[in-house]
Amino acid sequence: MLRVFAGEWVKLRRPTLLLGTLGAVGGLVAMVTSVIYLLIDDPGGNGDRGRTISREILQLPSGFSLTFAQSAGLLGLVALCIFAAQTAQEYTYGTLRNILVRQPSRMKVLAGKYLAMSLFALIVVIFAAIVGMGLSYALSGRAKVITDAWFTTDALFDTANSFANVIFATIAHGTVGMVLGLLLRSPISSISIGVIWILIVESILVAVRGSFAKYLPGVQLSNIGQGGSDDLTFIYSVRYALIFLLAVAILASILFKRRDVAN
Amino acid sequence: MSNRALIVRDLSKKYGDLFALSHANFEVPLGTICGFVGPNGSGKTTTIRMLLALIAPSGGSGEVLDISIDEPEKYLPFIGAMIEGPAFYPALTGIQNLKVLAKIGGFSLDRIPGLLELVGLGNRGDSKYKTYSLGMKQRLGIAAALLPNPKVLILDEPTNGLDPAGIQEVRDLLRKLADSGITVFVSSHLLSELEMISEYLVVLREGRVIFSGKTKELLAKQQPRIRVKSNHPNGIQIAREIAEESGHNCEIFGDELLVTAPPEYGSELNLQSFSRGITLTEISPIHPSLEETFFEMTGTEMIHEAGR
């Protein structure tokens, strides 16, 4: 498994992929953070779907990592795309056969790839946290946000908590991407179906009937990243996500183990 | 340990009602070059994929280096393979692509520069794979197959896309590898190429093995022929009658007669033709080629062209 991890890492660490992803994620988190701080007094709101994230909320110990946590959904989508592409491209390039000749244990191949992509996701999330929190501090003066509570033990605990939630949500999104890549064997199909489902289909379903939210995997993963909400508890979302991910991962693993590699 | 690199017993692969490979039986001796021949769709790649544990057989069994194909983790570390052409990551360089496979296989990275030199890519290792020509991609595929310092090298159509000089280089490389003790199992549709380098052959047609054994045994299966020409208006017709009266099969193609007979029959045919007032302008034995034999065995209609 570690050998597959090392091989996969050669692909993932190439500058165009790693730096490109960090640049894109840094830009997204910077955008979210800038909007929250620069539009703090805007009557149209400064948060998701017109919500207002007030100065009082940002001044709490959890305010330091709040913008980073708000980016969890976007980080998840990035992870979904990368996991799906890295998995499905082995079929489209025909490189899976090379890998399986060098490592015939298909479960070790899956585990090694998953580990490498999870490390990639961890690096991306750490970078996003640095950008989000760094920019929050940089913009706090202009937005007249008092940051005294950000440098307390409570803030450290909240930041660690946010980071854990975001990394869980990001890797969970990535897991969905990897499963789609294994099932569909095409980067374009797996990415488009994953993104369309999470961004469009789930949004429509929730808009049609709010109670659908508790049955939708994308909603649960975003909710985990943001530490839970009034409508869905954090614990409920974690339980749902674990059961869902376990089920789809087992299904995809069985298929991967048994399916002929004919391309 | 037996002296067989590959043993295949009743190996089959069925998709729906169709056999991609049906009850194949053959053996490949250690340290030889074995050509794996057959028209497109005859089951060559399916067989190779089963030997490499990429697809599961529907029936039968196989052994690689005396180890069942049900236990690929025990023999694949000693196998080098290129299946259905080279497959690499376009955005990585040649060296990076080999590093990926070397790391997965647990092989030394120190081998990479030497292998690139060996296949003639020493000065292009740092170029991205997507910039390679088809011939360079094939060479990288061969380098990747050699990463484990294999005991058995399985190559599926390794000369596709290579120019004549490149084909000659691959041919020389395979010979050199076989001389160093590596068993080479190579498929190709370039029959003349396999005839020149293969000591053993496995011939497939429509999913069935129609020959497996020494190349010279295959060649011996075809009757030698004599090409006859005459400048007399009915010369080759009369020569045909003479040959057929002597019990030899004959075919006329254009202005020439092909007589199925050993070379020494040529002098007798010449003598009898002369006694009937016919002058033969050409009596030349045709040495049977693998290509001729192959086309005869696979039943294609190119026998005449090959026979010429």
Side-chain angles (χ1 to χ4, degrees):
Chain A
M1 183 184 78
L2 291 178
R3 295 201 314 231
V4 176
F5 167 83
E8 185 71 15
W9 191 245
V10 173
K11 289 184 279 171
L12 289 169
R13 75 175 182 208
R14 70 179 193 269
T16 45
L17 180 61
L18 182 58
L19 298 181
T21 306
L22 291 180
V25 163
L28 283 171
V29 174
M31 189 178 72
V32 170
T33 305
S34 301
V35 166
I36 288 173
Y37 279 84
L38 298 179
L39 300 181
I40 194 164
D41 295 319
D42 194 296
N46 61 346
D48 186 25
R49 295 185 177 96
R51 285 191 301 131
T52 296
I53 299 171
S54 67
R55 193 169 278 110
E56 288 71 29
I57 291 173
L58 290 173
Q59 289 175 166
L60 293 171
S62 59
F64 197 16
S65 58
L66 188 140
T67 62
F68 158 65
Q70 289 285 313
S71 309
L74 293 172
L75 291 173
L77 285 177
V78 171
L80 183 147
C81 295
I82 289 171
F83 279 51
Q86 290 294 316
T87 305
Q89 73 175 11
E90 305 291 4
Y91 290 96
T92 51
Y93 291 153
T95 43
L96 183 60
R97 58 186 188 242
N98 295 344
I99 293 174
L100 291 177
V101 168
R102 297 283 58 104
Q103 175 49 270
S105 167
R106 297 189 181 189
M107 288 303 104
K108 285 182 183 172
V109 169
L110 271 191
K113 284 181 76 71
Y114 187 69
L115 196 61
M117 289 190 286
S118 296
L119 175 63
F120 187 90
L122 181 65
I123 290 171
V124 169
V125 170
I126 289 172
F127 182 73
I130 291 169
V131 171
M133 293 165 71
L135 198 58
S136 293
Y137 186 68
L139 293 174
S140 61
R142 182 191 166 105
K144 296 183 181 122
V145 172
I146 298 166
T147 61
D148 293 350
W150 289 6
F151 301 98
T152 61
T153 310
D154 285 349
L156 190 65
F157 177 78
D158 282 338
T159 300
N161 209 25
S162 288
F163 184 80
N165 294 342
V166 173
I167 192 68
F168 178 88
T170 304
I171 292 177
H173 274 93
T175 308
V176 173
M178 189 173 186
V179 168
L180 287 170
L182 288 171
L183 294 176
L184 302 173
R185 293 178 279 185
S186 156
I188 293 173
S189 303
S190 46
I191 290 172
S192 56
I193 287 176
V195 171
I196 287 170
W197 175 265
I198 287 175
L199 280 186
I200 300 175
V201 177
E202 289 200 1
S203 297
I204 292 171
L205 290 172
V206 172
V208 169
R209 187 169 289 183
S211 60
F212 281 168
K214 63 179 182 180
Y215 304 113
L216 300 173
V219 172
Q220 310 312 320
L221 297 183
S222 285
N223 196 42
I224 291 168
Q226 293 175 23
S229 65
D230 295 339
D231 301 328
L232 291 167
T233 66
F234 178 75
I235 294 296
Y236 171 83
S237 291
V238 168
R239 280 185 187 152
Y240 181 106
L242 286 176
I243 292 169
F244 172 76
L245 291 174
L246 195 63
V248 295
I250 288 172
L251 173 71
S253 300
I254 291 171
L255 269 178
F256 181 68
K257 190 171 168 57
R258 294 189 174 177
R259 201 157 52 184
D260 285 345
V261 177
N263 58 341
Chain B
M1 184 166 173
S2 77
N3 61 346
R4 295 286 182 266
L6 305 176
I7 300 173
V8 168
R9 295 272 175 264
D10 276 332
L11 196 64
S12 300
K13 181 65 183 178
K14 203 173 177 186
Y15 294 105
D17 293 333
L18 184 73
F19 273 103
L21 187 74
S22 177
H23 304 283
N25 287 283
F26 63 85
E27 295 181 353
V28 177
L30 277 170
T32 59
I33 299 180
C34 178
F36 195 34
V37 191
N40 289 337
S42 58
K44 300 190 297 295
T45 302
T46 300
T47 307
I48 288 174
R49 284 178 186 273
M50 283 192 282
L51 292 173
L52 297 172
L54 293 173
I55 61 178
S58 306
S61 63
E63 288 178 18
V64 178
L65 297 170
D66 290 334
I67 301 166
S68 166
I69 57 173
D70 296 332
E71 299 176 294
E73 66 283 354
K74 290 185 180 171
Y75 64 81
L76 283 179
F78 308 106
I79 307 299
M82 184 174 78
I83 316 124
E84 230 177 357
F88 293 100
Y89 306 101
L92 298 187
T93 65
I95 289 176
Q96 287 171 330
N97 268 295
L98 294 187
K99 270 187 184 174
V100 171
L101 294 173
K103 281 178 181 281
I104 293 172
F107 310 128
S108 169
L109 301 183
D110 296 341
R111 285 179 54 76
I112 292 175
L115 288 174
L116 288 172
E117 283 294 332
L118 184 70
V119 298
L121 288 176
N123 59 347
R124 290 297 304 273
D126 289 321
S127 301
K128 288 194 173 179
Y129 177 71
K130 62 186 171 191
T131 67
Y132 282 13
S133 67
L134 186 55
M136 291 164 72
K137 290 175 179 174
Q138 290 281 14
R139 291 163 202 261
L140 188 66
I142 294 172
L146 292 171
L147 267 174
N149 198 10
K151 290 182 179 173
V152 179
L153 188 59
I154 299 177
L155 301 174
D156 194 6
E157 307 270 2
T159 55
N160 268 358
L162 296 183
D163 56 22
I167 291 172
Q168 183 60 45
E169 282 174 26
V170 170
R171 194 182 290 161
D172 293 343
L173 177 63
L174 297 185
R175 185 70 267 164
K176 200 165 118 187
L177 293 169
D179 289 344
S180 70
I182 296 175
T183 306
V184 181
F185 187 62
V186 54
S187 80
S188 175
H189 63 275
L190 296 173
L191 307 174
S192 52
E193 179 186 308
L194 290 183
E195 180 184 10
M196 293 178 74
I197 60 169
S198 302
E199 298 138 274
Y200 281 79
L201 281 171
V202 177
V203 182
L204 284 181
R205 184 193 175 196
E206 294 176 357
R208 292 179 181 277
V209 175
I210 56 173
F211 175 83
S212 79
K214 291 182 178 175
T215 304
K216 57 187 178 188
E217 288 174 3
L218 177 63
L219 295 177
K221 283 179 177 286
Q222 190 183 52
Q223 294 288 324
R225 292 182 172 192
I226 301 170
R227 178 188 290 124
V228 177
K229 288 186 179 179
S230 171
N231 58 4
H232 189 278
N234 296 318
I236 58 172
Q237 285 292 351
I238 294 168
R240 178 183 189 163
E241 289 169 18
I242 295 167
E244 286 181 343
E245 284 165 10
S246 302
H248 297 291
N249 288 326
C250 298
E251 289 176 279
I252 292 176
F253 295 105
D255 64 346
E256 69 182 40
L257 172 69
L258 291 180
V259 182
T260 304
E264 47 275 22
Y265 177 70
S267 57
E268 186 185 331
L269 179 63
N270 191 25
L271 190 63
Q272 290 191 24
S273 298
F274 185 73
S275 67
R276 288 169 65 167
I278 300 301
T279 305
L280 300 180
T281 56
E282 181 181 335
I283 307 169
S284 49
I286 301 171
H287 298 290
S289 69
L290 172 62
E291 200 149 25
E292 283 177 278
T293 309
F294 170 77
F295 284 129
E296 275 194 348
M297 293 175 78
T298 56
T300 59
E301 294 177 353
M302 295 175 71
I303 182 67
H304 171 229
E305 203 56 34
R308 294 168 71 90

